[in-house]
Amino acid sequence: MDEVLADPIFKFIELYNRDYGISLDLKLDPGNEIYHHVPEHINNKWFDYINEKGFFRHLPVIDGGVEAVKKLQEKYEVYIVSAAMEFPNSLEDKRHWLADHFPFISWKNIIFCGDKIVNTDIMIDDRARNFVGFKGRPLLFSSPHNLLLTDYERVDTWQQVLDKLL
Amino acid sequence: MDEVLADPIFKFIELYNRDYGISLDLKLDPGNEIYHHVPEHINNKWFDYINEKGFFRHLPVIDGGVEAVKKLQEKYEVYIVSAAMEFPNSLEDKRHWLADHFPFISWKNIIFCGDKIVNTDIMIDDRARNFVGFKGRPLLFSSPHNLLLTDYERVDTWQQVLDKLL
């Protein structure tokens, strides 16, 4: 979900700005996480933000995500698989966010987990660690933190996903 | 989780008793669900109960479940996989219940889903529908509703699970 369907980075920057005056047009350098871009004494703050109830409730949708998932559903059984379990306060926010933006995804096709031990043919993910042990075709969805990785088939946008899979 | 690690039947009977005077020592007949045992005009009530926030928060643990999972962890990577997604209000209750009773299970090893499309070697489950498409070894954990099924390797207790797997 995060950085593939939902945009938490935008929200992080907004919150850092609210609390510490971080520039709202902050661009993350390739290979970097948001916490590499803020002063050291507040770089753990992102963890507090994530753990706050409500953080995941109103994130923007990544460009083209809704339309792309709808189109993929015509050819594929699409599952939303989120490593949400690390943040218990995110579970219901994420469930409601999906109901708002992806109401055409059945509850049967939603998975909140830790390790993504799913048995699918394709996995679209921004975190390479989720591809460990995965036996299908991994598609690395570009996000600032993964831009230096070269080991995986990469997609920069949802349009590129559609071009590859449809 | 339900009817394998956690006991919702006991809770259902308690709630029916509170609201409608259903016998607290109700025994479910083989092949039956709780809603086959209550008068027709209230047999949908179990669905209301499940959807209530708090229902899954304080369920009893199925006999021997905690000790058995601990022992299985010595030999296996154990995942808790619950079809919780149908009931959004259950997600945080179930997460907290696991933290209370199974604190030795990492968040990485917890999965809340709809379809159980997990890639594991063994699946212990009371619902045969979760074995559809599963490529590993299914163990049907006995519960009143599944007692008439004969197509699966069956375990009646956690001790029997340990006898088979250790």
Side-chain angles (χ1 to χ4, degrees):
Chain A
M1 284 177 71
D2 301 315
E3 299 177 66
V4 176
L5 292 175
D7 185 358
I9 303 293
F10 178 82
K11 179 99 176 184
F12 278 126
I13 293 174
E14 253 191 359
L15 292 175
Y16 273 110
N17 177 269
R18 182 195 67 188
D19 298 341
Y20 305 101
I22 298 300
S23 165
L24 274 172
D25 62 355
L26 178 68
K27 288 274 174 296
L28 275 57
D29 293 335
N32 274 6
E33 309 276 352
I34 178 80
Y35 51 84
H36 295 131
H37 283 271
V38 297
E40 202 174 333
H41 70 287
I42 55 166
N43 72 5
N44 242 338
K45 198 68 193 164
W46 69 276
F47 199 81
D48 295 340
Y49 291 147
I50 286 185
N51 277 297
E52 259 174 45
K53 194 107 182 163
F55 179 88
F56 291 97
R57 183 66 189 87
H58 299 288
L59 301 184
V61 182
I62 297 279
D63 270 356
V66 172
E67 300 73 18
V69 171
K70 266 189 196 158
K71 280 183 192 153
L72 289 171
Q73 274 188 322
E74 291 169 17
K75 183 171 171 189
Y76 299 93
E77 182 86 9
V78 178
Y79 289 86
I80 309 285
V81 184
S82 177
M85 206 54 69
E86 190 173 4
F87 309 106
N89 278 334
S90 77
L91 296 172
E92 289 178 18
D93 285 341
K94 279 173 173 265
R95 182 68 191 86
H96 291 305
W97 187 89
L98 285 172
D100 283 352
H101 299 286
F102 295 83
F104 49 88
I105 295 278
S106 157
W107 62 266
K108 293 183 181 176
N109 291 41
I110 298 174
I111 299 176
F112 292 164
C113 57
D115 294 342
K116 296 191 176 177
I117 56 161
V118 292
N119 183 19
T120 62
D121 299 310
I122 300 166
M123 187 190 292
I124 305 166
D125 209 300
D126 66 307
R127 297 280 169 186
R129 65 166 178 257
N130 291 321
F131 298 148
V132 175
F134 177 61
K135 296 189 182 88
R137 175 184 178 187
L139 290 181
L140 186 67
F141 198 95
S142 289
S143 187
H145 67 80
N146 69 31
L147 289 179
L148 303 180
L149 301 182
T150 54
D151 289 348
Y152 298 97
E153 186 179 358
R154 178 182 292 279
V155 282
D156 293 323
T157 62
W158 276 103
Q159 186 53 53
Q160 283 185 19
V161 173
L162 295 180
D163 292 345
K164 279 176 184 285
L165 300 184
L166 293 184
Chain B
M1 284 177 71
D2 301 314
E3 299 175 66
V4 176
L5 292 176
D7 185 358
I9 304 292
F10 179 81
K11 178 98 176 186
F12 277 127
I13 293 173
E14 254 191 357
L15 292 175
Y16 273 112
N17 178 269
R18 182 194 69 189
D19 298 341
Y20 306 102
I22 298 300
S23 163
L24 274 172
D25 62 354
L26 178 68
K27 287 274 174 296
L28 275 58
D29 293 334
N32 276 5
E33 309 277 350
I34 179 80
Y35 51 85
H36 295 130
H37 284 271
V38 298
E40 203 174 332
H41 70 287
I42 56 166
N43 72 5
N44 241 340
K45 198 66 193 166
W46 69 276
F47 200 80
D48 294 340
Y49 291 147
I50 286 185
N51 278 296
E52 258 174 43
K53 195 105 182 165
F55 179 88
F56 292 96
R57 184 65 189 87
H58 299 289
L59 302 183
V61 182
I62 297 279
D63 268 357
V66 171
E67 301 71 19
V69 171
K70 265 189 197 159
K71 280 184 192 153
L72 289 171
Q73 275 188 322
E74 291 169 17
K75 183 172 172 188
Y76 299 92
E77 182 86 8
V78 178
Y79 289 86
I80 310 285
V81 183
S82 177
M85 207 54 70
E86 190 173 3
F87 309 107
N89 279 334
S90 77
L91 296 171
E92 289 178 16
D93 284 342
K94 279 173 173 266
R95 183 68 191 84
H96 291 305
W97 187 90
L98 284 171
D100 282 352
H101 299 285
F102 295 83
F104 49 89
I105 296 277
S106 157
W107 63 268
K108 293 183 181 176
N109 291 43
I110 299 174
I111 300 177
F112 292 164
C113 57
D115 294 343
K116 296 191 175 175
I117 56 160
V118 291
N119 184 21
T120 61
D121 299 310
I122 299 166
M123 186 189 295
I124 305 166
D125 209 299
D126 66 307
R127 297 280 169 186
R129 65 166 179 258
N130 291 321
F131 298 147
V132 174
F134 178 61
K135 295 188 183 91
R137 174 185 178 187
L139 290 180
L140 186 67
F141 198 95
S142 290
S143 187
H145 66 81
N146 69 31
L147 289 180
L148 303 181
L149 301 181
T150 54
D151 288 349
Y152 297 98
E153 185 177 358
R154 178 181 292 281
V155 282
D156 294 322
T157 62
W158 276 103
Q159 186 53 53
Q160 283 186 17
V161 173
L162 296 180
D163 292 344
K164 279 176 184 286
L165 300 183
L166 293 185

